[in-house]
Amino acid sequence: MIRIWLTMLLLAQQCVYGGAQTDPSSVTSVFAPESTPAHSILHLVHFVFVITGSIFVVVFGLLVYAVVRFRRRADDDGKEPAQVYGSNPVEMAWTVVPLLIVVVLTLTTARIIQDIQDAPKPAGALDVQVVGHQFWWEIRYPKYAIVTANEMHVPVSLAHNRTPTFLDLRSADVTHSFWVPRLAGKTELVPNKINTMWIEPQRTGLFLGQCAKYCAASAPAVAAGRRVFERTSCINCHALNGTAGNGRFGPDLTHLMSRDTLASGVVKNTAENLRAWIKTPDRFKPGVLMPAMNLNDQELDQLVAYLVTLK
Amino acid sequence: MDTLAHQIPSAAGMAEVAPPGKAVLDHLHEWVVTVDHKKLGLMYIIYAIFFLLVGGVEAMMIRFQLAVPNNHLVSPQAFNQLFTMHGTTMIFLAAMPFIFGFANYLVPLMIGARDMAFPRLNAFGFWLTAFGGLLLYFSLIGGEGMAGAGSAPDVGWFAYSPLTSKAFSKGHSTDYWTLGVLVGGFGSIATAINILTTIICLRCPGMTLMKMPLLAWLYLVVGGMVLFAVSPLTAAQIMLLLDRFLGAHFFDTQAGGSAVLWMHFFWIFGHPEVYILVIPAFAFASEIIPVFSRKAIFGYPVMVGATVAIGFVSVSVWAHHMFAVGMSSASNTFFAISTMLVGVPTGMKIFNWIGTMWGGKIRFATPMLFSIGFLCQFLIAGLTGIMLAATPFDWQLTDSYFVIAHFHYVIVGAIVFMIFAAIYYWFPKASGRMLDETLGKWHFWMFLIGFHLTFDTMHIPGILGMPRRIYTYAADRGWGTLNMICTVGAVFQAAGLLVFVLNIVRSLRKGQPAGNDPWDAWTLEWATPSPPPEYNFAEIPMVRSRRPLWDLKHPTDPDWKYE
């Protein structure tokens, strides 16, 4: 059993720090923090883990010892062993020691709760408002009057000039949960309630997050669809606020779904038409400059799932 | 003691045989109208085993869907129904009936009574539970609703608002959940009243509270907790029905209601509920471990005190399920403290069980194998619980697969393991036959290996950011291999369960005759024939210590000299 545990730990390590066949930016490990709150949490985790790990070693050791040492032997005389009904000093010891451990743990926990939840907002902080929808994120930057979807751009915070991002979390419908593991713990977006949290990334990068409440729809496809958009040549021609797409050849796709038709009036703007269009634009509009994208069926499905969220 | 000797009939092992020529319908009628605690107990347990298997099938479908990335074995909508039904079934239709079934069967026997205090209320409680479950499953074919499998509930087993409001759950899935569980809840309250009254009023002469078996003490605490916990759930469900049908807005956030209010109501039920489920597991351990270690339980008064402490403290921890909801730092700190505090009396019990084994002569029969598994696994589950009690850690890991791994470690690793132990231990008493030891060991090892493959591994996807309840995931998240391992483990567990069911079916017909006291145990139920006659005891016994049969078997060295 111990060997299995070690292998698991090593597997986890590999995934966390190496990523056998996975892109490191897509492995959202709690053990790879890149932001102040996530760092604080990891420090606490290490501390708690040392204590609980030690308790495990001691108690499990006693259990294994008892099972081995006090098993009935083959040459047993059949007499009952000495009946011991209890021991006050022993009971006292294993009440007081755990209580002390709990005191230490709770004091530490209280401090980290305070550090994170009651952190003062520095002058250079960026304010971002997140509104959860079924099934997409609305991101607003009040200071810049910008509204985008699904992707958030925040500044890197430097030690001498801290610019964390403070998030105001609301919901337009049901309860959602904002979770970017490498940046912070999760906080829920509860309708009729305003929650706040903050992140403070210390280096540039793409950090993946996911709503931690369930989606009755194809949430993973949406995220994958956006990746399809960004990794193929779509971005070369089409601008899309909130992504790397900034091409000017083709139409801007921001708020794509707010349009009634595709391809400037050629067909109605529906998911099926969108899919067919991307597959072979030429069929709808002969001579169009958009080439067939040669995506496979799965990529097409994901891409369409993403594009239909661009309201 | 004299009285007790008369209880052991000369024709030992005389099983209750149906008179010749009794028709099947007569048998069925006897069971349907029974108010006998033993029959009702068995009916609860059979019901629970059936729904354990149904919930298990739901789990297998979840695991097969998640085994590889981007899977499309089931639709997202069906997946939501699967995890909702899996959780609701396992808690309300498997775990609760198991614990009430054992309470019903064992408590009167162990305290020297002839039946529960209110036999008809007992039957009423059982049938309410049974019909609540049928109503829940009727949802698969009843009503209108989402595409696919009828209106099976799909809002999660905790049915959070406002997802359950009419606006977001237009069909009847939420209503089936609400009504099915509500009806069963009344059954639970009925049984709790019975357990409390029976233990307080019907103990045999000489059996003071501090002389009754630990199982009785623990069920006393459980009875109180059921009364405390089920009421808020029932209240919340009625409020939800008012919201959905009569224009109320308790939880209707679009009209100013509160989603957080539902959470408070639900978890003030939900947390004591899990202690309601685990304390009977403690009760079984406290009866089984001493017998197979050949020693009295270590620290009986402390065990009583610790359980009462757990009962009280556990009602103050509920909002640790709500750490991410946006409560103040003061509230979060309070619940972190209370949650860690409840770990102290719980941990003490583990030490006392080890203390019981210490210096003993341990026999590794199947009940003891499952009990040892329980001890290791409950230790680990408790420690991951302490980790989650550290609020900032919970902010990362709540609603992730780490939490799923933690609570399955408790529910399967501790509770289900002890339910298996209890069945292997008391099956001979209830049926007059032993379960097969070889099949029992196969069951144990296959289930143990499967359990660890699945639930040890499952902590890791949580740490790697995998949220719960998602129906699939992308291939580049690093979760694929880990999920596959979890699924393989589930297959082992399923195999172990099948061996178990096979064992029961075969042993009922061809098992070795058990006799009154196959394990050489010490509590009153082993003084009756296997199975016991309907009246349990010809004469109500009189006891002088916690282990009346030890006193009988060791007249020169009885317990009452030392207790």
Side-chain angles (χ1 to χ4, degrees):
Chain A
M1 210 186 296
I2 299 179
R3 215 162 282 152
I4 298 177
W5 253 114
L6 271 172
T7 319
M8 295 306 162
L9 265 165
L10 288 171
L11 246 171
Q13 293 284 72
Q14 215 185 357
C15 292
V16 166
Y17 295 117
Q21 277 122 9
T22 54
D23 173 1
S25 78
S26 65
V27 177
T28 48
S29 167
V30 167
F31 279 82
E34 295 287 358
S35 144
T36 312
H39 278 296
S40 306
I41 294 176
L42 189 61
H43 290 319
L44 179 66
V45 166
H46 284 145
F47 182 65
V48 173
F49 197 71
V50 164
I51 294 184
T52 51
S54 314
I55 297 175
F56 174 75
V57 166
V58 168
V59 182
F60 189 69
L62 286 170
L63 183 56
V64 169
Y65 180 79
V67 162
V68 169
R69 168 79 174 75
F70 300 111
R71 67 192 194 285
R72 188 180 60 161
R73 311 297 154 126
D75 57 352
D76 180 56
D77 61 4
K79 290 219 290 260
E80 307 283 31
Q83 300 294 300
V84 179
Y85 298 89
S87 159
N88 281 340
V90 169
E91 300 278 10
M92 196 57 118
W94 65 44
T95 310
V96 168
V97 171
L99 270 171
L100 289 174
I101 294 177
V102 164
V103 168
V104 168
L105 279 176
T106 51
L107 287 175
T108 320
T109 302
R111 187 162 59 84
I112 306 292
I113 292 177
Q114 205 178 41
D115 279 353
I116 295 179
Q117 268 196 275
D118 299 335
K121 193 156 92 167
L126 172 68
D127 284 308
V128 175
Q129 213 180 68
V130 182
V131 182
H133 295 261
Q134 280 181 321
F135 302 100
W136 58 286
W137 303 99
E138 179 184 332
I139 318 278
R140 305 169 151 261
Y141 303 83
K143 191 165 163 198
Y144 304 101
I146 293 177
V147 179
T148 63
N150 293 329
E151 218 178 72
M152 192 191 302
H153 292 253
V154 301
V156 168
S157 178
L158 304 165
H160 55 268
N161 180 17
R162 291 186 60 206
T163 51
T165 303
F166 273 65
L167 305 175
D168 167 303
L169 304 169
R170 304 171 195 226
S171 169
D173 36 46
V174 297
T175 306
H176 304 276
S177 182
F178 185 87
W179 191 28
V180 184
R182 299 182 71 185
L183 297 184
K186 62 179 66 66
T187 306
E188 294 185 5
L189 291 78
V190 182
N192 245 355
K193 191 179 197 303
I194 301 173
N195 280 339
T196 52
M197 62 177 280
W198 59 284
I199 55 176
E200 191 171 22
Q202 277 124 20
R203 66 162 186 80
T204 57
L206 176 68
F207 299 108
L208 226 54
Q210 197 165 341
C211 177
K213 294 291 180 192
Y214 68 102
C215 287
S218 43
V222 171
R226 184 163 51 80
R227 274 199 295 285
V228 171
F229 180 82
E230 287 179 314
R231 284 175 194 168
T232 58
S233 42
C234 309
I235 53 172
N236 291 328
C237 290
H238 290 285
L240 213 184
N241 278 0
T243 70
N246 59 0
R248 290 284 157 214
F249 288 88
D252 190 324
L253 295 181
T254 317
H255 304 305
L256 174 65
M257 288 297 115
S258 61
R259 301 172 200 161
D260 286 339
T261 63
L262 294 175
S264 303
V266 170
V267 285
K268 267 201 72 101
N269 187 355
T270 64
E272 303 79 58
N273 283 340
L274 190 55
R275 191 181 197 282
W277 167 265
I278 298 168
K279 192 163 179 166
T280 34
D282 214 48
R283 235 184 76 215
F284 291 84
K285 207 173 179 184
V288 71
L289 292 174
M290 173 166 161
M293 295 312 295
N294 291 325
L295 299 171
N296 64 39
D297 277 328
Q298 189 190 63
E299 287 170 325
L300 261 175
D301 285 335
Q302 290 169 345
L303 184 58
V304 172
Y306 167 63
L307 291 172
V308 298
T309 68
L310 301 173
K311 296 198 166 62
Chain B
M1 270 122 12
D2 222 24
T3 320
L4 209 48
H6 286 154
Q7 303 308 316
I8 306 171
S10 45
M14 185 178 66
E16 196 170 68
V17 178
K22 199 171 183 192
V24 172
L25 271 179
D26 281 336
H27 262 301
L28 211 55
H29 180 256
E30 190 187 316
W31 284 78
V32 164
V33 303
T34 189
V35 297
D36 171 40
H37 73 101
K38 295 182 293 298
K39 287 206 175 64
L40 287 169
L42 290 175
M43 283 155 77
Y44 264 118
I45 292 174
I46 293 168
Y47 186 89
I49 293 178
F50 174 74
F51 277 105
L52 180 72
L53 296 173
V54 169
V57 167
E58 287 156 352
M60 294 308 292
M61 289 174 70
I62 293 173
R63 283 308 334 153
F64 282 128
Q65 165 61 20
L66 291 173
V68 293
N70 289 313
N71 204 4
H72 295 285
L73 196 63
V74 297
S75 70
Q77 292 81 2
F79 190 82
N80 296 342
Q81 289 173 331
L82 280 172
F83 67 69
T84 302
M85 290 299 271
H86 169 73
T88 310
T89 302
M90 288 304 206
I91 300 278
F92 293 108
L93 307 185
M96 293 287 264
F98 266 125
I99 66 159
F100 290 143
F102 279 107
N104 253 311
Y105 197 95
L106 296 172
V107 168
L109 281 170
M110 288 175 95
I111 64 172
R114 291 229 163 87
D115 204 319
M116 293 287 244
F118 305 120
R120 274 173 292 194
L121 182 68
N122 205 1
F124 182 62
F126 170 75
W127 289 109
L128 276 180
T129 306
F131 280 109
L134 289 180
L135 181 62
L136 181 71
Y137 271 85
F138 187 78
S139 64
L140 290 174
I141 54 175
E144 17 110 351
M146 297 191 168
S151 282
D154 53 356
V155 288
W157 89 277
F158 27 90
Y160 271 178
S161 299
L163 187 63
T164 48
S165 67
K166 269 273 191 223
F168 299 108
S169 277
K170 293 180 180 47
H172 286 301
S173 59
T174 298
D175 303 314
Y176 277 104
W177 180 87
T178 309
L179 287 168
V181 174
L182 188 106
V183 165
F186 282 109
S188 303
I189 292 183
T191 310
I193 293 174
N194 234 332
I195 294 175
L196 285 168
T197 315
T198 307
I199 293 175
I200 292 173
C201 302
L202 294 186
R203 280 165 288 123
C204 63
M207 191 181 279
T208 61
L209 279 175
M210 291 307 270
K211 282 203 181 18
M212 64 181 183
L214 256 183
L215 183 140
W217 253 115
L218 270 57
Y219 265 110
L220 189 64
V221 174
V222 168
M225 290 178 73
V226 169
L227 290 184
F228 176 92
V230 175
S231 315
L233 177 66
T234 308
Q237 288 168 331
I238 293 175
M239 290 194 281
L240 180 61
L241 288 170
L242 289 171
D243 268 19
R244 284 177 61 87
F245 293 106
L246 293 182
H249 301 297
F250 292 104
F251 311 118
D252 177 9
T253 48
Q254 311 241 305
S258 169
V260 177
L261 185 67
W262 171 270
M263 293 188 216
H264 280 297
F265 268 92
F266 185 85
W267 288 114
I268 224 175
F269 152 77
H271 196 84
E273 165 70 5
V274 306
Y275 281 94
I276 289 167
L277 297 180
V278 87
I279 292 178
F282 297 165
F284 307 147
S286 304
E287 299 299 329
I288 293 173
I289 293 177
V291 168
F292 290 90
S293 309
R294 307 313 301 162
K295 282 181 66 223
I297 188 80
F298 189 89
Y300 176 103
V302 171
M303 291 293 251
V304 170
T307 312
V308 172
I310 292 174
F312 280 104
V313 180
S314 74
V315 306
S316 73
V317 306
W318 79 92
H320 67 228
H321 299 271
M322 297 162 59
F323 276 147
V325 151
M327 299 186 298
S328 69
S329 52
S331 302
N332 283 334
T333 306
F334 172 82
F335 285 104
I337 296 177
S338 62
T339 307
M340 293 204 189
L341 211 58
V342 85
V344 175
T346 319
M348 282 165 69
K349 296 176 83 76
I350 300 183
F351 303 140
N352 276 282
W353 287 312
I354 297 180
T356 306
M357 291 161 68
W358 203 271
K361 289 189 180 182
I362 304 173
R363 278 168 20 206
F364 295 103
T366 308
M368 190 57 173
L369 288 175
F370 278 108
S371 303
I372 295 174
F374 154 80
L375 283 173
C376 303
Q377 282 143 200
F378 186 64
L379 172 65
I380 297 175
L383 292 174
T384 55
I386 295 286
M387 291 165 79
L388 287 162
T391 317
F393 192 40
D394 189 83
W395 288 335
Q396 284 284 26
L397 294 175
T398 191
D399 275 344
S400 80
Y401 265 83
F402 188 92
V403 140
I404 300 189
H406 160 74
F407 70 69
H408 280 90
Y409 235 87
V410 187
I411 298 184
V412 184
I415 297 172
V416 170
F417 267 65
M418 278 325 291
I419 287 174
F420 290 148
I423 291 180
Y424 280 90
Y425 185 61
W426 278 295
F427 180 93
K429 175 55 54 185
S431 69
R433 296 183 183 276
M434 305 296 287
L435 280 168
D436 184 79
E437 263 300 299
T438 310
L439 284 178
K441 289 191 162 77
W442 272 98
H443 167 200
F444 171 73
W445 288 106
M446 281 171 47
F447 201 83
L448 185 80
I449 291 171
F451 171 82
H452 283 280
L453 264 178
T454 302
F455 295 111
D456 288 6
T457 313
M458 198 180 277
H459 291 89
I460 304 174
I463 292 176
L464 295 182
M466 182 174 179
R468 61 189 290 190
R469 300 177 159 181
I470 55 173
Y471 84 106
T472 192
Y473 51 91
D476 62 353
R477 302 301 297 267
W479 303 334
T481 314
L482 298 165
N483 269 281
M484 176 56 82
I485 297 174
C486 294
T487 302
V488 169
V491 173
F492 273 86
Q493 288 175 70
L497 261 182
L498 289 174
V499 169
F500 177 55
V501 173
L502 179 73
N503 199 350
I504 292 179
V505 169
R506 262 183 58 180
S507 303
L508 274 174
R509 278 177 301 142
K510 293 192 281 197
Q512 220 188 340
N516 290 11
D517 184 14
W519 308 114
D520 196 3
W522 304 308
T523 39
L524 283 176
E525 76 271 28
W526 304 105
T528 62
S530 301
E534 189 154 321
Y535 49 83
N536 294 350
F537 302 96
E539 282 174 52
I540 300 293
M542 211 170 76
V543 304
R544 241 179 122 172
S545 78
R546 292 174 193 143
R547 296 188 296 170
L549 267 62
W550 169 280
D551 296 344
L552 265 184
K553 294 171 186 174
H554 303 266
T556 52
D557 188 27
D559 261 1
W560 48 263
K561 274 196 187 156
Y562 304 96
E563 271 176 7

